[in-house]
Amino acid sequence: MLYTILKHSHSGLRWILVILFLFALIGLFRVAFRKKTCFATTRRIALFTLIVSHLQLIIGMILYFISPLVIFSGQSMSNKIYRFYLVEHISLMIIAIILITIGYSQAKRISDELRGFRRMFTYYLIAFILILISIPWPFRGLGAGWF
Ligand code: HEM
Ligand code: HEM
């Protein structure tokens, strides 16, 4: 029961995160390259992106210990699906979430706002690429669906 709820929340939140990322990156790009001066809205969208990514971290950490797809055994390494959830998904996603957190926090601390937004754009862009690579999209044959 708990597993089903968490699994579907985790799967659905992926879409919210991807959409927030697109808005955040477009906003950060436009601010960073002076095409727009709306700092407050862009910072707020970047904050929502950070919060949803932290939510995914919490839900993912619980799933990691209750999911039937995470099997703590050396033999998992020779199975594509088991290896993906045991090692690949968690490690790349945690790196991505750390990059988002560093990017957001640094931008807050740098006094030159424009420089801060440029820094945040770089961190968010790398994080987004890592996340897109690590999502078990259906076409990757990892047993997960679109929702
Ligand atoms: C394992 C769980 C979590 C860890 C390790 C974690 C870690 C962190 C770290 C290191 C920061 C940066 C602090 C800074 O430099 O200012 C942060 C900020 C934040 N996190 Fe999390 N977090 C977790 C879960 C959550 C959850 C579940 C939420 C909300 C749903 C959340 C929301 C936030 C918010 C709103 C900020 C502050 C952004 C700001 O500076 O304004 N986090 N978190
Ligand atoms: C940006 C963050 C993340 C995104 C977008 C994401 C996305 C996803 C998606 C789409 C699935 C497939 C769900 C399905 O079967 O329909 C999944 C599964 C899973 N994720 Fe994540 N994830 C993230 C972070 C994490 C983290 C940090 C962990 C571990 C700490 C984690 C652990 C898991 C586990 C264990 C499963 C397998 C659940 C199952 O089907 O039994 N995820 N994730």
Side-chain angles (χ1 to χ4, degrees):
M1 182 62 182
L2 174 72
Y3 169 63
T4 317
I5 294 172
L6 290 181
K7 181 179 152 150
H8 285 104
S9 315
H10 193 70
S11 188
L13 278 174
R14 133 191 53 184
W15 290 108
I16 295 178
L17 188 61
V18 166
I19 290 164
L20 279 172
F21 249 115
L22 290 175
F23 279 104
L25 284 172
I26 293 170
L28 288 170
F29 180 85
R30 293 180 66 196
V31 171
F33 294 96
R34 298 171 199 265
K35 300 211 189 308
K36 197 179 94 170
T37 48
C38 196
F39 286 80
T41 314
T42 308
R43 193 185 293 281
R44 179 134 323 141
I45 296 171
L47 173 63
F48 288 148
T49 312
L50 169 104
I51 293 174
V52 174
S53 77
H54 283 192
L55 257 178
Q56 284 294 66
L57 174 65
I58 287 272
I59 299 174
M61 285 195 317
I62 302 169
L63 276 175
Y64 196 71
F65 293 102
I66 62 176
S67 166
L69 296 177
V70 180
I71 300 162
F72 297 94
S73 151
Q75 272 150 17
S76 294
M77 298 309 276
S78 55
N79 178 303
K80 182 178 148 194
I81 296 181
Y82 294 155
R83 189 184 57 236
F84 177 80
Y85 289 107
L86 184 69
V87 192
E88 295 162 18
H89 185 69
I90 182 172
S91 35
L92 288 180
M93 288 305 195
I94 286 181
I95 293 172
I97 295 166
I98 290 175
L99 291 178
I100 298 169
T101 312
I102 295 177
Y104 186 84
S105 311
Q106 283 204 358
K108 223 172 38 179
R109 293 197 183 101
I110 295 175
S111 54
D112 177 353
E113 263 195 325
L114 195 61
R115 257 190 64 220
F117 272 73
R118 286 194 179 137
R119 181 78 58 88
M120 183 156 44
F121 175 73
T122 312
Y123 276 103
Y124 272 51
L125 184 64
I126 300 170
F128 188 46
I129 292 169
L130 286 179
I131 286 172
L132 288 181
I133 290 174
S134 321
I135 287 178
W137 301 108
F139 51 80
R140 295 187 55 185
L142 293 161
W146 287 108
F147 293 102

